[in-house]
Amino acid sequence: MRFQLLGPLSIAHGPETVVLKPSKPTSLLAALLLHPGTVVSTGYLLRAVWDEEPPATARAALQTCVLRLRRLFAKYGISATTIEAVPGGYRMRNDTETLDLALFRFLTAQARAAAGTPEELYRLREALSLWQGQPLSNVASGMLQRDAVPALEQERLLVLERVCDLELAAGNCHQVLVDLYEGARHRPVRERFTEQLVEALYRTGRQAEALAEYRTVRERLRDELGVDPGPGLRRLELAILRAEELGPAARPPGPEPTQPHAASALAVRDRGRAAAGPAGPPPVPGFAGRAADLRALAGRLTDPGGPRLLVVSGAPGIGKSALARQSAYEIRAAFPGGVSAVDLTRPDGSPLDTGEARALLPAPGGGGRRLLLLDNAAGAGQVLPLLPETGGATVLVTSRRALAAVVATHGGFVHRLDVLSPAEAQDLLAGLVGAERIAAEEPAARELAAVCGWFPLALRIAAGRLLTRPGLSVADCAAWLAADPPGRLALAEDPRLSVPEVLGRAVGALPPELRGAFLLLGSLEPGSGPATAVEESVLEQLVEAGMLEDGPPGEPYRIHAFLRGYARWLARDRAGAAALLPG
């Protein structure tokens, strides 16, 4: 169970999210959640619920609101003592496990501690992913809308500005354009967003658009406020008009992620100095194992006579993106022209269309051999139109599909990824949770890895549960997950860390015939050949979709035990499966 403030006020209960209706109890709950773990005075609560003119009976009505909330909590299995009556007011003891606002602030604190390292950007991105829209949009309290909502939005904007500064410093100008357009359009008086947007457009060769953005905000500031843009924007305009080359964006100072107004370096490069290539994706936090896979990718990608196209394919959640990004980071020195990464999916998991993907591709450069990672490709139809736009770069693609149509027409190599070995799974858990904690319960850790099917996605979710529950033993965690692995391997705050979400989208994208075949395969006993129950043409399509594997001679096909368990989990509740898998 989790309370969610960073969007409509809601209660996430298992796979369900209940958005509360605007009411006085909803306003009361919002006022309490905004101050987790602290006593909120009765006077403050009265003003939050009734604004500035509470009725004479307000104190008694406040107790009624508390009673109504406790009844609502009981409906979702939340203890009535979650709201404590204390002298002078009420208190709710929420933490990172039960309140998204608490988790957001915890992640930004982690980012401050990791300032100057790749971990900082990773944590800030993780924090921003918790936001689901306008905070408290269903809360009717005028006081909270006037005072609390702008303060919450300010916290988000400071983090977003910091993220954009870090991305610009890393050379990832294309990746932040969507965020910067949104910030500059909706908050023109917040000049830093416009400054970042103008800089990003100019660095990607779109100087006319950069000047147009500057002049739009200049006219708006003059018309609405009677002021000119600040010195940072004016320096940028002058650099563009002079056609000056901007030096590499300086990494913004730390440790505070709330220091986004430090201007990017605008020093002009010395004539003749070679352009610095993009920094590329950072190392994957907690990455472990895959030594043979890393060697294979490095050997093919860095070989001057090797393929210019390489596809990493495999089942959903098996770690394709992590392997590709770690490999790109480790071999970045072999690509003096730069390493770039483009995610071909939106945050909700839906694929980008061709126009959106093209807009994110880096401009071709002349600084030497380049590597381009196209991550999370939905299929050949998404990749083929992009290849002519890559400017001769070596292209690394990750996809559940093997993309046979791509390698058949453009050449290349397909690297099929399998689950981690038991030892690698142990190493991943140790790297994420802590070596001492895993070593202290080594047999339980092996059991936990087995429950997770040695799938990196499932292992990271289990590690997240252990990290947020320091008192939870590895053995208890393994036992709890073993009772319902597909259903319980989910972190409510992020659909990308949810087995039902990730695998549900993968199965839901299959045509009905393949979907039915996948559910049928789940009903087979381990060791029985899929070919005895399903036609070979259907099995081949399931292999291409990443839901089935080619096996050794004598057993042409096999299904991962973890995917078999997920298929059984779906098949147990046909109504639930029908709702999850549309079409």
Side-chain angles (χ1 to χ4, degrees), residues 29-386:
L29 178 59
L32 290 169
L33 291 173
L34 285 166
H35 304 87
T38 62
V39 176
V40 185
S41 70
T42 301
Y44 178 90
L45 295 174
L46 292 175
R47 292 193 301 274
V49 176
W50 283 277
D51 289 324
E52 301 304 324
E53 297 183 6
T57 59
R59 290 182 179 270
L62 186 66
Q63 294 177 353
T64 301
C65 288
V66 171
L67 180 61
R68 289 173 62 185
L69 283 178
R70 286 173 172 164
R71 289 173 177 167
L72 175 68
F73 291 176
K75 180 179 178 181
Y76 296 104
I78 306 170
S79 170
T81 60
T82 299
I83 299 182
E84 300 176 71
V86 296
Y90 293 86
R91 174 173 58 198
M92 290 185 67
R93 296 185 182 274
N94 294 103
D95 57 16
T96 58
E97 189 66 22
T98 59
L99 178 62
D100 60 357
L101 178 61
L103 180 59
F104 174 82
R105 290 170 174 167
F106 173 74
L107 290 170
T108 56
Q110 284 190 318
R112 285 196 294 274
T117 70
E119 181 77 3
E120 179 186 13
L121 180 57
Y122 178 84
R123 292 301 174 195
L124 292 178
R125 281 290 190 193
E126 191 177 0
L128 287 176
S129 72
L130 300 175
W131 288 75
Q132 305 296 321
Q134 179 70 16
L136 305 183
S137 56
N138 57 334
V139 175
S141 168
M143 186 189 87
L144 296 182
Q145 291 295 331
R146 181 180 64 249
D147 299 333
V149 170
L152 288 174
E153 187 65 13
Q154 176 73 0
E155 289 189 57
R156 185 184 77 87
L157 292 176
L158 288 172
V159 171
L160 180 58
E161 285 180 349
R162 177 69 175 178
V163 163
C164 292
D165 271 332
L166 293 170
E167 294 281 23
L168 288 174
N172 300 328
C173 299
H174 286 281
Q175 284 87 327
V176 292
L177 283 175
V178 173
D179 289 330
L180 291 176
Y181 274 122
E182 188 271 338
R185 293 286 187 275
H186 293 95
R187 299 165 189 87
V189 297
R190 200 178 183 101
E191 292 183 41
R192 183 61 188 138
F193 280 129
T194 302
E195 186 178 340
Q196 291 169 322
L197 175 59
V198 171
E199 181 179 346
L201 289 170
Y202 187 52
R203 287 183 183 279
T204 53
R206 298 154 70 174
Q207 60 267 26
E209 292 178 59
L211 279 175
E213 289 296 333
Y214 170 82
R215 289 166 181 169
T216 296
V217 76
R218 181 186 63 188
E219 296 307 313
R220 189 163 180 178
L221 289 172
R222 287 176 175 176
D223 292 342
E224 296 182 7
L225 301 175
V227 299
D228 285 319
L233 271 172
R234 293 200 301 271
R235 285 196 300 269
L236 265 176
E237 182 201 30
L238 186 60
I240 296 171
L241 292 173
R242 291 175 175 173
E244 294 173 346
E245 291 185 341
L246 305 181
R251 191 174 187 88
E256 296 292 330
T258 54
Q259 295 177 341
H261 293 283
S264 298
L266 299 177
V268 179
R269 286 195 300 235
D270 295 332
R271 295 187 184 276
R273 179 180 173 188
V284 177
F287 189 88
R290 301 291 196 198
D293 297 295
L294 287 170
R295 284 195 301 271
L297 292 188
R300 294 183 185 278
L301 291 170
T302 61
D303 182 358
R308 301 303 293 269
L309 173 69
L310 196 151
V311 177
V312 177
S313 70
I318 208 163
K320 301 178 293 294
S321 295
L323 174 66
R325 287 179 177 269
Q326 184 68 19
S327 180
Y329 172 77
E330 293 187 4
I331 63 174
R332 64 195 184 281
F335 296 90
V339 178
S340 304
V342 176
D343 193 341
L344 297 180
T345 62
R346 301 184 181 93
D348 64 0
S350 60
L352 299 179
D353 60 36
T354 301
E356 291 173 317
R358 278 200 180 108
L360 295 176
L361 292 178
R369 191 180 181 194
R370 297 182 299 117
L371 176 64
L372 173 62
L373 168 58
L374 298 178
D375 204 8
N376 296 312
Q382 190 184 33
V383 174
L384 285 170
L386 302 179

